[in-house]
Amino acid sequence: MCFRQHNVRDLLRRGRPCLGVGAAWAGLLLLTLPIVAQSIGPDEVRVSSRPYLPQSQILHAEARLVRIDAVVRDNKGRIVSGLKPENFTIFDDGKKQTVATFEVQTHTPLAVLQANAATPLPAAGGQRPATQPTANGTPHPRPRYVALYFDDLHTKSGDMRHVQLAAENFIRTGLSAGDQIALFTAASSVTVDFTADASQVLDALANLRSRARVFDSGTCPRITPHDAYMIANFPNSDAYRVALAAADQCNCEDQANDGPTCYEQQERLVLIQAKQIWEPMKELSENTLETIQGVVDYLAKKPGERVLVLASSGFLTGTLEVKVDEVMDNALRSGIVVNALDAKGLYMEDPSHGRIQNELHGGAANQEAVHEAESFRPDLMSMTAAMADFAVGTGGRFFHDRNDLDAGFYSLAAAPETEYLLGFAPESEKSNGAYHKLKVEVNLPGKFDVQARPGYFAPTKETEEANQPSAEEKIDAEVRGSGEKSDFPLSIAEQARIANNGVHELSVQTRVDIHAMPFARQQNRRVDMLTFVAALFDAQGRMVTGKEAQMELALKPETFERFSKSGIDGGMSLEAPPGAYRLRVVVEEALRGEMSAMSRNVQVQ
């Protein structure tokens, strides 16, 4: 008979089946009871166990933890590895914070692993759990979702081909274990949902085509896209005055058209011509922003690390700043990093296009030459302003003014070799939804560039109520923590040993004092459930291995009395290569969600 206590089971963390003592997965974990021999019925204690795998990679602010993914580069742009928690300082709105959680993620491209491996490796993004250890004890990285977005509405054919080749190179050589790749376009002409199958993405890349339109008057006066924006929205701008002077000379200086009426007509015609360029250009930019927002919303639903790589020749977003901010804020709230690549590379086109000398002379020619020379660089920057904002605003990178698009795309889309996962608990956070500026510094001699999220939004009372952390997230956060927690008495003892099969392991004995635990009363039984988690972390803060078990208790009065005096022991066996580790043990009881946790430095030998 399976003694199932439904009101307690509703509080269970991970929905285990009701199992009898000894029904745990073989060789994973065994909870031992020192007084089992004293007539404890099989319906009083039931144990189930499995490898411990964190259920959530996102630490909620409601759990008083803010997570920061940081990549550190030296003054030559090389990624820095080997840093420890004490090497980092976090500032929240200028106030120094204590690093509460620390983990290191390392990534090696599958192409490199497969070249060195004796046996085939799973495809990128395979279903193997993100933190499950490999045979040598090294944990696999968390899931990583990379959305490749190609702005085919603004990227010219030549630029598109260069970006295609760069993306193909990344797909063939830059994917890491755990990567899921998706492909989106501004025109929605090519779409591939997140997949681990690189061939699907390569096939879609081959079908990319530029659908860009040329927005340029091509006549006298020549009105560039940026000039059209300025003239349509700021009639007193230099762009308007230069275009009007050119129109007057081109259209009114011959004898037939010379006169006040012709000059008055040019004022109106310049405005009309500018709006004819700006309005459809604005519409395309709005469409691009809407599709980027759609990708952000879709990406936000994915677990683990989320990256959006935006490739475009640039698009004007003047008067659309509110929409740009909305996209950026949504990405920031969802923990999405946006990396942007300017498909133009190092742009060297002559701004005059030879038109000034051919069509204008005298003052108008000089005026237009000066204007185009002075506005050439600002015009180019305005085309990529939104891309730069997205990158800077979400802690991403903006690759521009360089022709090595292969290296650029790889640096933006490939997982960094070393990534530091930092967490801190805001000391006096208010539930007002306010934006907090973050800054991460490295406390070592030398100059370092830290790529990390620039800030976060505090929760509101409404979001706190709607997004209370689950039991899984609470215990996962405690496992990643380092401080002691003592909701009830807990003690641990450990011993390194070599198992009969020659595997190095750490035997961990955990004793829980249940005397003060709440226990529900049902059918003359004391009912509760204990969840045990033990995990080993290496010197870099990476979880090497972990085990989890649940013990359902439905104790008779006499059994409860004995356990209240002796406590309940949990015997855990953790396999790991020889070395120094930090042992973290967390025990949770189900009724109130109380937890106790301890850490200890151990040696496996």
Side-chain angles (χ1 to χ4, degrees):
M1 168 182 170
C2 182
F3 189 91
R4 189 182 295 271
Q5 302 298 326
H6 291 287
N7 65 334
V8 174
R9 296 295 295 177
D10 291 341
L11 297 174
L12 304 189
R13 295 184 53 255
R14 301 176 192 268
R16 300 287 182 266
C18 186
L19 300 175
V21 175
W25 281 265
L28 295 182
L29 178 143
L30 175 64
L31 290 181
T32 58
L33 306 176
I35 55 174
V36 159
Q38 301 181 26
S39 303
I40 296 178
D43 61 345
E44 292 187 78
V45 180
R46 308 191 186 282
V47 179
S48 62
S49 66
R50 70 175 229 173
Y52 168 70
L53 298 174
Q55 298 296 300
S56 173
Q57 296 293 342
I58 300 176
L59 303 180
H60 284 278
E62 294 79 15
R64 297 308 174 200
L65 282 169
V66 175
R67 188 74 167 255
I68 306 174
D69 298 355
V71 178
V72 181
R73 293 179 173 83
D74 62 18
N75 58 359
K76 295 184 178 179
R78 299 171 299 195
I79 290 180
V80 178
S81 60
L83 299 180
K84 299 180 179 180
E86 57 268 25
N87 300 138
F88 290 92
T89 301
I90 300 174
F91 295 92
D92 182 353
D93 278 344
K95 187 174 182 180
K96 187 176 179 180
Q97 303 293 320
T98 300
V99 177
T101 62
F102 180 81
E103 184 179 344
V104 179
Q105 288 273 308
T106 58
H107 305 272
T108 303
L110 279 173
V112 175
L113 292 175
Q114 290 169 339
N116 298 330
T119 56
L121 292 170
Q127 298 304 309
R128 189 164 49 185
T131 54
Q132 180 179 351
T134 58
N136 65 1
T138 302
H140 288 289
R142 56 188 169 153
R144 185 170 179 269
Y145 291 83
V146 182
L148 307 181
Y149 180 96
F150 297 89
D151 180 12
D152 52 350
L153 294 179
H154 296 92
T155 303
K156 297 178 181 179
S157 295
D159 296 342
M160 180 65 77
R161 183 54 184 159
H162 292 152
V163 171
Q164 279 178 288
L165 294 175
E168 288 175 3
N169 180 64
F170 159 68
I171 296 296
R172 296 182 190 280
T173 64
L175 294 180
S176 300
D179 281 358
Q180 292 272 344
I181 308 296
L183 190 151
F184 305 94
T185 62
S188 300
S189 56
V190 180
T191 301
V192 176
D193 201 355
F194 285 103
T195 179
D197 187 352
S199 62
Q200 291 187 30
V201 184
L202 288 172
D203 290 343
L205 279 171
N207 293 322
L208 283 180
R209 298 291 183 271
S210 171
R211 289 166 170 77
R213 294 170 54 185
V214 176
F215 292 101
D216 193 318
S217 61
T219 61
C220 184
R222 180 189 178 230
I223 299 179
T224 66
H226 186 262
D227 284 347
Y229 156 68
M230 293 297 296
I231 295 169
N233 294 281
F234 307 98
N236 293 324
S237 62
D238 287 341
Y240 174 73
R241 287 192 291 271
V242 170
L244 182 58
D248 288 345
Q249 186 178 100
C250 289
N251 302 322
C252 298
E253 285 195 353
D254 60 81
Q255 188 173 3
N257 293 323
D258 191 11
T261 301
C262 180
Y263 290 110
E264 291 171 2
Q265 288 176 343
Q266 301 314 304
E267 296 177 3
R268 184 171 64 256
L269 290 176
V270 167
L271 288 174
I272 292 174
Q273 188 174 335
K275 290 181 179 179
Q276 287 175 341
I277 297 173
W278 166 242
E279 292 299 336
M281 189 166 55
K282 176 184 175 183
E283 185 176 344
L284 280 185
S285 294
E286 288 176 330
N287 180 86
T288 299
L289 291 173
E290 288 174 2
T291 54
I292 294 174
Q293 180 63 73
V295 174
V296 168
D297 293 341
Y298 187 62
L299 191 55
K301 300 175 183 177
K302 302 299 179 182
E305 185 176 0
R306 287 79 56 86
V307 178
L308 170 60
V309 180
L310 166 61
S312 173
S313 293
F315 50 98
L316 274 174
T317 53
T319 74
L320 301 176
E321 292 86 358
V322 172
K323 183 62 178 178
V324 172
D325 289 344
E326 287 178 359
V327 174
M328 186 169 57
D329 287 352
N330 289 341
L332 186 59
R333 291 177 189 274
S334 301
I336 295 171
V337 174
V338 180
N339 291 325
L341 180 142
D342 184 356
K344 295 190 301 295
L346 184 59
Y347 199 63
M348 299 297 293
E349 182 180 352
D350 176 10
S352 70
H353 297 278
R355 290 192 177 99
I356 297 173
Q357 291 82 358
N358 295 335
E359 300 173 5
L360 300 175
H361 60 272
N366 295 334
Q367 198 173 357
E368 184 162 325
V370 171
H371 171 72
E372 291 202 354
E374 291 180 347
S375 63
F376 179 63
R377 186 66 181 175
D379 286 0
L380 292 180
M381 294 178 64
S382 67
M383 295 294 291
T384 58
M387 299 167 63
D389 287 345
F390 291 151
V392 173
T394 62
R397 304 180 72 198
F398 179 35
F399 187 92
H400 61 104
D401 289 339
R402 291 173 58 186
N403 288 330
D404 188 2
L405 298 189
D406 276 2
F409 205 98
Y410 192 98
S411 68
L412 300 182
E417 296 93 348
T418 303
E419 190 172 12
Y420 301 95
L421 314 184
L422 311 172
F424 73 95
E427 294 181 2
S428 58
E429 182 181 344
K430 297 181 180 179
S431 302
N432 56 8
Y435 179 75
H436 290 240
K437 292 182 65 176
L438 291 174
K439 185 177 182 181
V440 181
E441 295 181 350
V442 176
N443 306 319
L444 289 173
K447 185 177 181 180
F448 298 92
D449 174 54
V450 181
Q451 178 188 345
R453 62 191 293 190
Y456 71 97
F457 289 92
T460 63
K461 292 182 179 179
E462 292 76 11
T463 57
E464 280 187 329
E465 294 174 358
N467 298 310
Q468 284 296 316
S470 65
E472 290 92 342
E473 291 168 333
K474 288 180 180 178
I475 199 168
D476 289 347
E478 195 60 53
V479 171
R480 290 182 180 274
S482 57
E484 290 198 2
K485 187 175 178 65
S486 302
D487 288 344
F488 45 82
L490 173 70
S491 61
I492 60 175
E494 77 288 337
Q495 181 180 5
R497 65 189 185 189
I498 300 179
N500 294 334
N501 59 0
V503 174
H504 294 265
E505 63 182 22
L506 187 73
S507 174
V508 182
Q509 295 294 324
T510 304
R511 174 161 293 185
V512 180
D513 185 345
I514 67 170
H515 181 74
M517 288 185 179
F519 282 99
R521 292 178 180 269
Q522 288 191 11
Q523 303 176 21
N524 199 33
R525 302 287 187 103
R526 299 289 186 99
V527 177
D528 204 341
M529 190 188 77
L530 297 177
T531 297
F532 294 75
V533 175
L536 287 178
F537 294 85
D538 65 15
Q540 301 299 323
R542 296 173 294 196
M543 194 185 85
V544 173
T545 186
K547 302 291 176 61
E548 172 188 5
Q550 289 181 335
M551 179 188 291
E552 295 179 62
L553 303 174
L555 306 178
K556 296 177 181 178
E558 59 272 19
T559 306
F560 175 75
E561 184 66 23
R562 291 199 297 272
F563 278 167
S564 295
K565 295 179 181 179
S566 66
I568 291 182
D569 287 354
M572 309 184 186
S573 179
L574 301 174
E575 297 180 0
Y581 299 95
R582 179 173 65 89
L583 170 66
R584 182 70 170 172
V585 176
V586 178
V587 180
E588 179 205 49
E589 69 83 26
L591 282 173
R592 293 179 182 169
E594 294 179 341
M595 283 189 286
S596 289
M598 299 181 68
S599 294
R600 182 168 297 177
N601 293 326
V602 298
Q603 190 82 25
V604 176
Q605 54 190 12

